């Protein structure tokens, strides 16, 4: 599992959001989510107001982690695509660039074939964006500019104090 500190700026978030909006429309999905492997929701597109997105993000990350355990038991590195079929809704879950989880929820208005086709193209585009984010973070780290980050001076204690 690859892990990296995700520092995303507004321009990068807009690119990710645009890609999710495009996937939502082109796959005819109800909703599309992007979640990090820790279960934090990054972005969504579609009918997300009817779904508990926090729980969905956490459970999706747990599902990926559990499936990763099964994969290792079978000698696989990881299963990169999961599909669950329900009576009304279906869920397609895929890993993007070993970094983030792309979740597509769709109903009878779409098909697994269309969703897989559109997810494949979007995954390539999203992986490229996250590669650029990782390269940018690594470059800033090596150039010592990370200390200049607006978040560098904020500690965990500062964040905890915000919620007291």
């Amino acid at each position: 599992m690859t892990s990296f500190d995700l520092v995303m700026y507004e321009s990068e978030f807009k690119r990710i959001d645009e890609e999710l909006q495009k996937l939502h429309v082109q796959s005819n999905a109800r909703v599309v989510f992007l979640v990090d492997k820790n279960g934090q929701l990054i972005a969504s597109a579609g009918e997300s107001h009817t779904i508990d997105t926090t729980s969905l993000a956490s459970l999706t990350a747990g599902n990926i982690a559990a499936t990763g355990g099964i994969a290792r038991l079978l000698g696989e590195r990881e299963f990169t695509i999961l599909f669950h079929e329900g009576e009304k809704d279906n869920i397609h879950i895929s890993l993007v660039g070993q970094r983030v989880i792309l979740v597509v929820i769709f109903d009878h208005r779409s098909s697994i074939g269309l969703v897989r086709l559109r997810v494949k193209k979007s995954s390539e585009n999203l992986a490229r964006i996250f590669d650029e984010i990782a390269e940018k973070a690594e470059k800033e780290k090596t150039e010592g500019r990370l200390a200049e980050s607006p978040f560098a001076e904020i500690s965990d204690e500062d964040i905890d104090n915000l919620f007291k």
Side-chain angles (χ1 to χ4, degrees):
M1 178 186 302
T2 304
S3 88
F4 70 107
D5 294 328
L6 181 66
V7 178
M8 187 181 321
Y9 293 94
E10 186 175 348
S11 63
E12 296 151 344
F13 179 79
K14 282 183 179 177
R15 290 174 58 202
I16 290 168
D17 189 55
E18 287 171 7
E19 190 60 41
L20 292 186
Q21 296 292 340
K22 189 169 76 176
L23 175 60
H24 171 249
V25 170
Q26 290 181 342
S27 67
N28 212 16
R30 280 189 52 212
V31 62
V32 177
F33 290 96
L34 193 63
V35 178
D36 73 10
K37 280 189 157 184
N38 295 321
Q40 297 294 314
L41 179 68
I42 297 172
S44 67
E47 304 167 19
S48 62
H49 61 281
T50 60
I51 298 172
D52 179 354
T53 55
T54 303
S55 296
L56 181 68
S58 297
L59 292 170
T60 300
N63 194 350
I64 286 289
T67 306
I70 294 169
R72 283 186 291 283
L73 286 174
L74 298 175
E76 293 286 333
R77 193 173 123 202
E78 207 159 31
F79 292 125
T80 57
I81 296 175
L82 305 174
F83 175 69
H84 301 283
E85 185 174 352
E87 287 183 26
K88 294 183 291 185
D89 293 320
N90 307 303
I91 185 166
H92 184 279
I93 303 169
S94 57
L95 280 175
V96 176
Q98 303 299 317
R99 292 186 174 112
V100 293
I101 303 163
L102 181 59
V103 181
V104 179
I105 299 175
F106 62 98
D107 57 19
H108 67 280
R109 295 175 291 176
S110 189
S111 69
I112 183 64
L114 177 62
V115 169
R116 286 191 70 170
L117 180 71
R118 298 301 184 187
V119 163
K120 185 176 180 184
K121 183 66 179 169
S122 285
S123 292
E124 292 169 2
N125 294 338
L126 289 167
R128 207 172 303 117
I129 293 168
F130 280 97
D131 284 346
E132 290 172 16
I133 292 170
E135 287 174 21
K136 186 176 174 181
E138 187 63 33
K139 185 178 176 185
E140 288 179 352
K141 189 176 179 181
T142 56
E143 292 177 354
R145 292 189 325 186
L146 202 55
E148 297 172 10
S149 165
F151 308 111
E153 63 190 37
I154 300 172
S155 68
D156 289 342
E157 186 178 334
D158 293 333
I159 294 170
D160 290 342
N161 287 335
L162 287 174
F163 296 102
K164 287 184 179 178

